Amino acid sequence: MKVVQINTSCGVGSTGKICVGISQALEEQGIENCILYSALSNGYENGISCSNGKYVKLQALKSRVLGNYGFNSRMATRKMIAELERIQPDIVHLHNIHGHDCNLEMLFTYFKKKKTKLVWTFHDCWAFTGYCTYFTMTKCSQWKQQCEKCLQRKDYSCFFDKSQKLFAQKKQLFKGLDLTIVTPSQWLADLVKESFLKDYPVYVINNGIDLAVFRPRNSVFRRRYDLEDKKLVLGVSFLWDKRKGTDVFSSLAQRLPADYQIVLVGTDGQVDRQLPDNIISIHRTQNQQELAEIYSTADVFINPTREENYPTVNMESLACGTPVLTFRTGGSPEILDTTCGSVVDCDDIDAMEKEIIRICTDKPYSKEACVQRAKAFDKNERFKEYVELYERINVAGTERN
């Protein structure tokens, strides 16, 4: 069996790391595989570049001007197809292919011609919308029937609203494939079943984390920031905006008692200007071990995300022994059970404030219970699920032939 994964990146970012993890699991089984990617790579030996950063930026500009998001990048797609022709894989596994990485019409026409067995992991909702990756905040449900007059068009196109055309093109191109869809959350799986992709099989394979890295650790973080007598409320993201709840933390900073300290990790100068002075802002950590040390010392981890699939930060916090409080958004609540955290309705800041105080005061969730829950998120076990899925699909295809 030969497996080719296609993604924006290789070993860089969340999806790039997932690709490498799956590749390594395949290597352990002696299964030939590679990763076709656009530009970003950590140098992983099984990665094959089909583009470069300059080319991707040019395609992004074309997309913004023409409004035809997903239908540029012809040269990169020809390179992908040439590699697929050379390798002749038994299974092609798609991940994120909407970073101006490929031309959908060219790629999926090729898949249909070759009758390629496809696995496609949806890391967001883009595959079944005209433009957007999420639509929760805009409360849009057009994707169930026909996208048009896109409420988020300005995020994708400077001049033209081609959401109706793009939706129709995707719907036609994604018809008649030998396709198995994977989603990291049940929330997203349920959305797929309401979309034009509803007739394809959908499997839920949760994302995972490295439990050797994310575990309870000794930390000098409190002493470094003079927080030894404070209740530490932590938030972590690497793209802070309203979707991730920056404004929620600003509001909580004005509400919580003086012995509570909010710490945000992953900020930058622009975010700092939006935050009140009593929030500690950390632009970056040196490595994942340092991040694990920060998780380990917090009293509670807050995730006021308004649009989400299956957030890694929730899992990381639990693995370090810190309970999680999240909005009832996307797949974020699925990570928790009654032993390790709680959920409040989206945008209910009153309820979130009360829960923070309850968790920090009553301590209903023990470190041991959080760590126990996190054992379900071992990335190696999740990667094995993908290998098992490939094997089932490959055997089924062989039997049909």
Side-chain angles (χ1 to χ4, degrees):
M1 180 171 66
K2 296 180 184 177
V3 178
V4 171
Q5 298 182 78
I6 301 178
N7 188 53
T8 299
S9 61
C10 175
V12 177
S14 58
T15 59
K17 291 175 182 176
I18 289 170
C19 288
V20 168
I22 293 171
S23 175
Q24 291 171 337
L26 288 166
E27 288 288 315
E28 290 175 4
Q29 299 294 320
I31 298 172
E32 184 178 344
N33 75 94
C34 69
I35 302 167
L36 305 184
Y37 67 94
S38 297
L40 298 175
S41 173
N42 67 346
Y44 180 62
E45 60 185 5
N46 284 6
I48 299 174
S49 175
C50 294
S51 182
N52 58 66
K54 185 177 180 180
Y55 178 82
V56 169
K57 289 179 181 178
L58 176 60
Q59 303 312 305
L61 177 61
K62 287 174 65 176
S63 178
R64 292 285 296 175
V65 172
L66 301 175
N68 59 345
Y69 195 103
F71 289 86
N72 293 298
S73 306
R74 300 182 70 85
M75 185 178 71
T77 309
R78 280 194 290 268
K79 169 68 171 173
M80 283 184 188
I81 291 173
E83 291 293 340
L84 292 170
E85 279 291 285
R86 179 182 65 83
I87 298 165
Q88 293 293 309
D90 298 289
I91 292 173
V92 173
H93 184 174
L94 306 174
H95 291 271
N96 274 356
I97 56 172
H98 55 82
H100 311 287
D101 313 293
C102 67
N103 181 293
L104 292 179
E105 184 172 14
M106 292 173 63
L107 190 60
F108 281 85
T109 298
Y110 172 81
F111 289 148
K112 288 182 181 180
K113 178 182 177 181
K114 301 292 288 188
K115 298 181 180 178
T116 305
K117 289 189 281 291
L118 294 172
V119 174
W120 193 352
T121 297
F122 289 178
H123 297 282
D124 52 45
C125 307
W126 176 83
F128 51 88
T129 71
Y131 278 124
C132 67
T133 54
Y134 292 102
F135 36 73
T136 306
M137 289 176 66
T138 58
K139 297 180 172 59
C140 180
S141 60
Q142 292 189 106
W143 57 273
K144 295 181 182 180
Q145 299 296 328
Q146 172 65 64
C147 287
E148 58 182 349
K149 298 178 182 178
C150 180
L151 298 174
Q152 301 184 64
R153 187 270 301 171
K154 291 183 180 179
D155 293 335
Y156 300 92
S157 174
C158 296
F159 307 109
F160 308 108
D161 182 356
K162 294 187 177 179
S163 58
Q164 184 174 15
K165 179 180 179 181
L166 297 181
F167 182 91
Q169 286 179 295
K170 287 182 182 179
K171 185 175 182 180
Q172 183 61 36
L173 285 171
F174 302 162
K175 185 186 300 182
L177 298 168
D178 187 348
L179 172 63
T180 299
I181 296 170
V182 175
T183 64
S185 65
Q186 186 61 50
W187 166 80
L188 185 50
D190 292 341
L191 292 184
V192 172
K193 287 302 182 181
E194 294 186 77
S195 76
F196 60 73
L197 298 168
K198 61 181 180 295
D199 294 329
Y200 288 114
V202 182
Y203 294 90
V204 176
I205 299 179
N206 299 143
N207 294 334
I209 58 172
D210 188 344
L211 296 181
V213 173
F214 291 99
R215 55 182 174 79
R217 293 178 178 272
N218 295 325
S219 174
V220 297
F221 182 84
R222 283 179 178 268
R223 186 164 67 248
R224 183 186 307 151
Y225 287 91
D226 194 23
L227 302 176
E228 291 167 301
D229 297 324
K230 298 279 189 177
K231 297 179 176 66
L232 201 161
V233 179
L234 179 64
V236 176
S237 179
F238 295 97
L239 181 61
W240 283 107
D241 55 16
K242 186 173 182 179
R243 184 169 77 89
K244 292 295 186 179
T246 310
D247 59 309
V248 175
F249 282 105
S250 294
S251 180
L252 289 170
Q254 309 304 320
R255 291 165 168 251
L256 291 170
D259 59 336
Y260 284 72
Q261 178 61 59
I262 295 175
V263 174
L264 298 188
V265 176
T267 54
D268 57 24
Q270 182 177 350
V271 174
D272 289 346
R273 289 189 286 274
Q274 303 171 34
L275 298 175
D277 293 338
N278 62 338
I279 289 181
I280 294 176
S281 172
I282 300 175
H283 287 191
R284 60 181 60 87
T285 57
Q286 296 302 312
N287 51 49
Q288 288 188 317
Q289 179 175 326
E290 184 179 9
L291 180 58
E293 291 173 2
I294 298 173
Y295 279 124
S296 298
T297 198
D299 290 285
V300 61
F301 177 78
I302 308 299
N303 191 356
T305 180
R306 293 182 169 100
E307 291 181 325
E308 199 66 67
N309 186 357
Y310 200 78
T312 301
V313 289
N314 289 12
M315 296 182 276
E316 292 172 349
S317 178
L318 293 178
C320 295
T322 299
V324 173
L325 171 60
T326 183
F327 278 160
R328 197 180 312 280
T329 306
S332 188
E334 296 176 31
I335 296 171
L336 310 181
D337 63 19
T338 57
T339 70
C340 63
S342 60
V343 181
V344 299
D345 289 338
C346 188
D347 287 326
D348 192 340
I349 299 177
D350 289 338
M352 179 159 276
E353 177 191 359
K354 291 176 182 176
E355 273 298 281
I356 290 171
I357 293 172
R358 183 183 75 89
I359 292 170
C360 291
T361 303
D362 298 345
K363 300 189 181 302
Y365 310 115
S366 69
K367 182 181 293 289
E368 293 74 20
C370 293
V371 172
Q372 181 62 34
R373 172 59 180 159
K375 290 180 180 179
F377 310 129
D378 185 342
K379 66 174 186 176
N380 297 315
E381 294 303 314
R382 304 291 74 75
F383 297 149
K384 287 178 184 177
E385 286 190 68
Y386 276 110
V387 177
E388 292 167 359
L389 177 60
Y390 298 155
E391 290 172 339
R392 291 199 304 272
I393 292 171
N394 191 50
V395 169
T398 303
E399 290 175 347
R400 284 199 300 268
N401 294 333

